[in-house]
Amino acid sequence: MDSQVLVALALSLVGGLSTSLGALFVILNQAPNLKMLGLLQGFAAGLMLSISFLDLAHNAMNSIGFLKGNLWFFSGVIFFAVVANFIPEPTLSHSSKVKGKKNKGDEGGKDMMKKHRRQVFFSGIITAIGISLHNFPEGMAVFLGSMKGLRVGLNLALAIALHNIPEGVAVALPVYFATQSKWQAFKLATLSGFAEPLGVVIVAYLFPSSLSPEILEGLLGSVGGVMAFLTLHEMLPLAFDYAGQKQAVKAVFFGMAFMSASLYFLELSLPKDMSL
């Protein structure tokens, strides 16, 4: 169990710290390339859909039956729908407002600019808190996936890592505008990702050291529901907005093909006695 926790912790760190990559988009470029972010979202959506329907939900139905598998899957959907309703995930839509406020501040004087900077900085703090709360159940998903096997945990961590890059941008952009400090923007975006490994640590102590195969498969089916809702509710709309519908759809199918290829080569490369 200890080794499983360490593996899950390492994988969640990869996903959580990918918010730092989003911050680099902001501090290394005056304006982040939203089209590239949209394509990354589409690619990650393809990974997520492949994992959710072709792996987690499929295995749950085969292992515990069609009815139970569906009940577990849709319980995950409902759970994350409630989370999203109370804690809607912040997006980059405020970036244009940031630019507009900057221009108005130049015209309105230093006092108005200071006021805008305080407001934008506060929005960055709220964004960081919201993303942290969103990342917590993602860490739980990585832990449960790692209990199933290295392949499931690795696939979830990769998809979540790509999804977290735009979240880092959403945090760093207003903070960088308000403070003019690259370090502050990078630091806050990075800290917002640490909720993911924190989720691993907490859930490791909540669950018993050995779960029955039926409960584990059911929980993984619920993770599939969570990932499916996250993809369709949040990732695909962002991909369409930033990259355009045609390009985003291509990125989605490319992500699904990439996941299928990665599963094949991963199974070839791992020893036969290692859990997948």
Side-chain angles (χ1 to χ4, degrees):
M1 180 63 179
D2 291 338
S3 62
Q4 288 179 329
V5 174
L6 290 176
V7 169
L9 193 60
L11 291 176
S12 67
L13 280 172
V14 172
L17 292 178
S18 63
T19 55
S20 302
L21 295 179
L24 290 177
F25 270 99
V26 174
I27 64 180
L28 296 181
N29 302 281
Q30 289 189 352
N33 188 334
L34 295 184
K35 183 175 182 179
M36 178 59 66
L37 291 174
L39 291 175
L40 283 175
Q41 283 287 85
F43 181 79
L47 300 181
M48 291 279 225
L49 289 174
S50 181
I51 294 170
S52 300
F53 293 108
L54 303 181
D55 192 351
L56 299 178
H58 174 75
N59 288 340
M61 291 180 206
N62 283 340
S63 299
I64 61 178
F66 182 82
L67 178 59
K68 288 183 179 180
N70 271 280
L71 289 175
W72 278 101
F73 178 84
F74 284 104
S75 68
V77 172
I78 294 171
F79 166 75
F80 206 77
V82 173
V83 172
N85 183 59
F86 287 100
I87 313 171
E89 184 174 24
T91 67
L92 305 181
S93 60
H94 63 277
S95 61
S96 59
K97 296 180 181 179
V98 168
K99 295 177 183 178
K101 288 181 179 180
K102 186 174 182 179
N103 293 333
K104 292 179 181 179
D106 291 337
E107 299 172 358
K110 294 182 179 180
D111 291 340
M112 186 63 69
M113 174 59 75
K114 290 181 180 179
K115 180 180 179 181
H116 286 325
R117 289 190 188 278
R118 287 195 298 269
Q119 292 174 339
V120 172
F121 181 73
F122 180 73
S123 73
I125 297 296
I126 296 300
T127 300
I129 294 172
I131 286 175
S132 296
L133 293 172
H134 250 80
N135 284 346
F136 184 80
E138 292 175 358
M140 297 173 61
V142 171
F143 174 77
L144 292 173
S146 299
M147 288 186 66
K148 171 68 175 179
L150 178 61
R151 173 178 62 82
V152 179
L154 188 62
N155 291 339
L156 285 172
L158 174 62
I160 289 172
L162 292 173
H163 168 62
N164 284 351
I165 292 175
E167 294 182 346
V169 175
V171 175
L173 187 62
V175 175
Y176 184 39
F177 168 78
T179 64
Q180 297 297 301
S181 170
K182 294 181 178 181
W183 167 243
Q184 291 293 334
F186 182 83
K187 180 176 68 174
L188 195 57
T190 300
L191 289 175
S192 68
F194 274 107
E196 199 160 310
L198 180 62
V200 170
V201 173
I202 292 178
V203 78
Y205 289 97
L206 290 178
F207 284 95
S209 57
S210 59
L211 290 172
S212 68
E214 181 173 341
I215 295 297
L216 179 58
E217 289 293 347
L219 288 171
L220 287 171
S222 295
V223 170
V226 169
M227 296 296 105
F229 183 88
L230 176 66
T231 301
L232 298 175
H233 184 259
E234 297 174 358
M235 296 173 70
L236 277 181
L238 286 179
F240 288 165
D241 287 343
Y242 298 153
Q245 183 174 349
K246 291 183 178 180
Q247 294 299 320
V249 169
K250 291 178 182 178
V252 169
F253 282 107
F254 183 74
M256 296 181 74
F258 180 86
M259 178 56 65
S260 297
S262 69
L263 294 178
Y264 175 74
F265 286 111
L266 186 60
E267 289 184 357
L268 289 181
S269 62
L270 290 176
K272 292 183 179 180
D273 59 346
M274 183 175 290
S275 176
L276 288 176

